[in-house]
Amino acid sequence: MSINVRDLNESEFFYGHKACAGCGGSLAVRIALKVLGERSVAVLPAGCMSAVGFNFPQLCFANNAIISTFAGTASMLTGIEAGLRAKGVSDFHAVGFAGDGGTADIGLQALSGAIDRNDNIIYICYDNEAYMNTGIQKSSLTPFGARTTTTPAGKNIRGNVKDKKNMFEIVAAHGIPYAATASIGYMNDFMNKVDKASRIHGTKYIHVMAPCPTGWGHEPCETVEIAKEAVDCGLWYLAEYEDSEYILNRNVKDFTDISQYLRKQSRFRHLRDEDIEYITKSRDAKWNEIRTKYKTV
Amino acid sequence: MKPYLRDHTPVLLSEIPDAPSYEAGFLVSKNAGWRSTRPVIDTEKCTGCLMCYLHCPEGVIYKAGGKVAVDYDFCKGCGICVRICRAGAIETEAER
Ligand SMILES: Cc1ncc(C[n+]2csc(CCOP(=O)(O)OP(=O)(O)O)c2C)c(N)n1
Ligand code: SF4
Ligand code: SF4
Ligand code: SF4
Ligand SMILES: [Mg+2]
């Protein structure tokens, strides 16, 4: 049974927020909450989604929602789940929405601990590939070549010199019950992964690619298309980890042009042909690995 | 159900909570002023596919009589709906 747009909850749980026009992260939060419903207790660490959602007295969540410390998304989820369980409450979802910095950098230890204890929580990382709320600094999920304020594009070094960390595989390596990658450019896939996660007991992790027009330098109207293009050109992929097995959900046969994807975003505009060649080679190497290690459907 | 605009903004100290918690979905300001263009739905052309509703980051597109309508109090005019509509049923109009 899969959910689609027609039977999606008509209530809005994230409304009137102050995210930039065309913000991909806010779309991910909005749709995930529509899938999970009213009895979700959401945890939002420091980052764009808490900054735009809670500006007293403008409080944009219709469900219970709380801001956590930057590092503490997973530990607060653990506490909420244990606390409500102790009070005899059972029909709820403890769900976290943390950025790439809040997940792959400062929040990694708390997340790793929660997975180790197999706490019954849903952790969603909305990945906009930098510390956006503080003005676009590099995180360990910023891709190679991207210009940020801490990885500027100059004469000698052209943006970020490091590769994007594979957070999905790091989480999966814990032996988590369920982990998935997703994209706001493939909304049905994302909705159904959130729905699936809500039915599994234990720790669930979903990593959703969510473009940020402000930090990536594209038009606000292009957010969804760019998210889709990242998947179509092979720089992002849709997969799951379940029952100790990796599953590739979308086996892209013919990639679209990487340079076309990169050129649409000002954060990559300085890249030279040799940089694009490096990015293409890295993509091909990763996909060779995926095609041997992952089960393809 | 969705967060909605209140007719009173808490300003007095006595109206501000001592504890760091407050009513959920409490809105005191619109986002309409952010917009330089507005999306306008042509209900003749609209097929009711709901793709715009699904992809609006603000959640301001809602179902209305088999078609859709926009809550202009909170639409930011990002244009995602215009780009996603395959039926070409959403036009962009400049805000005066
Ligand atoms: C311990 C701590 N260090 C630094 C900050 C400042 N800070 C607030 S939000 C933020 C960036 C968050 O980046 P990310 O997690 O990627 O979320 P985004 O803003 O991109 O949505 C930082 C560094 C903080 N609030 N707490
Ligand atoms: S900076 Fe980016 S992630 Fe943050 S609110 Fe704006 S568009 Fe969204
Ligand atoms: S995307 Fe276009 S056709 Fe579909 S519901 Fe929206 S306006 Fe109507
Ligand atoms: S312009 Fe943007 S905010 Fe306004 S209805 Fe369309 S998608 Fe939603
Ligand atoms: Mg970020």
Side-chain angles (χ1 to χ4, degrees), chain A residues 5-23 26-27 30-31 34 38 56-64 184-185 187-188 191 220-225, chain B residues 1-3 5 9-10 15-17 22-31 34 47-61 63 71 74 76-80 83-84:
Chain A
V5 62
R6 300 215 171 262
D7 40 55
L8 201 54
N9 191 333
E10 277 184 53
S11 294
E12 295 295 341
F13 300 100
F14 192 35
Y15 204 80
H17 57 74
K18 303 294 180 184
C20 315
C23 170
S26 63
L27 177 55
R30 171 188 168 234
I31 295 299
K34 281 168 84 77
E38 181 180 15
F56 180 82
Q58 181 98 347
L59 299 169
C60 304
F61 287 93
N63 57 306
N64 273 311
I184 58 150
M187 202 55 101
N188 271 315
M191 288 195 293
C221 62
E222 294 175 317
T223 301
V224 174
E225 289 157 44
Chain B
M1 183 188 74
K2 60 184 173 192
L5 205 59
T9 304
E15 294 173 319
I16 294 172
Y22 206 69
E23 189 177 336
F26 195 99
L27 306 183
V28 297
S29 66
K30 300 179 183 179
N31 294 334
W34 292 29
T47 62
C49 72
L50 299 178
M51 283 303 111
C52 54
Y53 158 82
L54 185 63
H55 292 93
C56 171
E58 314 303 322
V60 299
I61 299 180
K63 299 182 193 175
D71 175 0
F74 291 99
K76 291 174 186 158
C78 69
I80 287 177
R83 295 283 280 252
I84 214 115

Side-chain angles (χ1 to χ4, degrees), chain A residues 194-261:
Chain A
V194 175
D195 184 52
K196 188 169 176 178
S198 74
R199 296 166 199 283
I200 293 172
H201 188 87
T203 313
K204 286 81 59 177
Y205 177 84
I206 299 176
H207 193 118
V208 57
M209 189 54 65
C212 159
T214 309
W216 293 19
H218 59 76
E219 291 302 320
C221 62
E222 294 175 317
T223 301
V224 174
E225 289 157 44
I226 287 198
K228 184 175 181 299
E229 207 173 331
V231 174
D232 296 346
C233 77
L235 291 181
W236 186 242
Y237 61 94
L238 305 181
E240 288 172 297
Y241 176 84
E242 208 185 350
D243 302 325
S244 309
E245 195 168 48
Y246 285 100
I247 304 133
L248 181 66
N249 303 125
R250 194 177 178 82
N251 194 357
V252 185
K253 294 275 160 13
D254 300 302
F255 295 122
T256 56
D257 189 359
I258 277 189
S259 55
Q260 226 171 46
Y261 167 76

